[in-house]
Amino acid sequence: GNSVTQMEGPVTLSEEAFLTINCTYTATGYPSLFWYVQYPGEGLQLLLKATKADDKGSNKGFEATYRKETTSFHLEKGSVQVSDSAVYFCALRDSGGSNYKLTFGKGTLLTVNP
Amino acid sequence: DSGVTQTPKHLITATGQRVTLRCSPRSGDLSVYWYQQSLDQGLQFLIQYYNGEERAKGNILERFSAQQFPDLHSELNLSSLELGDSALYFCASSVTGLAGRSSYNEQFFGPGTRLTVL
């Protein structure tokens, strides 16, 4: 079955540091890939997505590139802010059939200190 | 604000009891998904409904059931509750959830219902 593995947290950075959160996946076919963010006490928000190989998703300074050859979708940001402190989830969605469920990684807690 | 609403926000109950969680999708969305977020299992897909019909099932226990009503709101019923059912339950909605344009399948999440079983 499908699975998503993301780096274990927690990750603690200072403001303006570079962020990478690794994500790899196992899936049949050509899944769509997502990063969701969960701020304290809130639901999940879609951060960015990519639907095919070599696509780059970007939003709010975050980027991730769909790498089919390495089955990866690593999240990066050049300069993090305190407001980026949250839990980040990598997820995939099957490309075919009628099942559009999301399969999530375990989540990575990011804390950014001033 | 995603446009997906869930009630109640918090629910505290005892083992063996039954509870109902409610979800109202975004206006115009036909698909509703339920997910469970727990410390040990992470975020897991439970079940999907599309326009009133069950579309897909995930790791949903037999003690749990769901339905989607003609006005498209959905309810998740949890019965014979156990301590291990304590979790955050999220509802998400999308336009279709069927094959077609990927943008129609983007899922928007509600704020969740935190269930505590004592």
Side-chain angles (χ1 to χ4, degrees):
Chain A
N2 297 337
S3 67
V4 175
T5 303
Q6 59 182 105
M7 64 186 281
E8 303 250 340
V11 174
T12 303
L13 296 173
S14 298
E15 209 164 21
E16 298 184 4
F18 184 85
L19 169 71
T20 299
I21 301 178
N22 290 336
C23 171
T24 57
Y25 67 90
T26 302
T28 53
Y30 303 94
S32 294
L33 301 174
F34 305 83
W35 278 100
Y36 280 83
V37 57
Q38 184 178 27
Y39 297 103
E42 298 184 14
L44 281 77
Q45 299 175 27
L46 178 63
L47 181 59
L48 52 84
K49 66 180 180 183
T51 58
K52 61 182 188 296
D54 299 326
D55 265 3
K56 178 186 278 190
S58 61
N59 186 26
K60 299 181 182 179
F62 290 90
E63 293 183 339
T65 301
Y66 188 146
R67 301 282 187 207
K68 193 169 188 316
E69 64 276 12
T70 54
T71 61
S72 64
F73 193 56
H74 305 320
L75 181 68
E76 296 182 336
K77 187 175 185 183
S79 176
V80 293
Q81 306 300 313
V82 172
S83 58
D84 294 327
S85 298
V87 181
Y88 292 81
F89 292 92
C90 184
L92 69 80
R93 187 184 67 212
D94 277 336
S95 58
S98 61
N99 185 347
Y100 281 81
K101 70 170 188 176
L102 290 167
T103 299
F104 288 91
K106 295 258 185 213
T108 302
L109 173 63
L110 170 67
T111 302
V112 181
N113 295 317
Chain B
D1 185 352
S2 67
V4 178
T5 60
Q6 289 187 247
T7 56
K9 193 164 184 170
H10 300 279
L11 201 47
I12 301 174
T13 188
T15 54
Q17 295 299 304
R18 173 190 168 95
V19 296
T20 297
L21 283 53
R22 183 188 169 104
C23 167
S24 292
R26 293 186 321 154
S27 177
D29 284 359
L30 298 176
S31 266
V32 168
Y33 311 75
W34 286 97
Y35 293 85
Q36 179 194 59
Q37 184 180 32
S38 61
L39 280 174
D40 51 345
Q41 299 290 329
L43 255 170
Q44 290 201 83
F45 167 74
L46 295 178
I47 197 163
Q48 176 199 355
Y49 276 82
Y50 171 73
N51 204 20
E53 294 189 6
E54 183 183 301
R55 178 61 61 178
K57 249 182 176 175
N59 298 322
I60 187 165
L61 299 172
E62 284 193 14
R63 300 183 285 109
F64 296 0
S65 65
Q67 54 184 324
Q68 187 179 27
F69 295 85
D71 68 352
L72 301 176
H73 90 271
S74 177
E75 292 181 357
L76 179 67
N77 300 295
L78 315 176
S79 61
S80 303
L81 285 168
E82 302 175 0
L83 295 177
D85 298 327
S86 295
L88 254 177
Y89 291 85
F90 287 109
C91 167
S93 72
S94 68
V95 175
T96 60
L98 299 178
R101 288 178 57 181
S102 65
S103 60
Y104 289 164
N105 300 319
E106 182 175 325
Q107 294 180 31
F108 294 85
F109 282 75
T113 293
R114 182 171 293 283
L115 172 66
T116 303
V117 182
L118 300 175

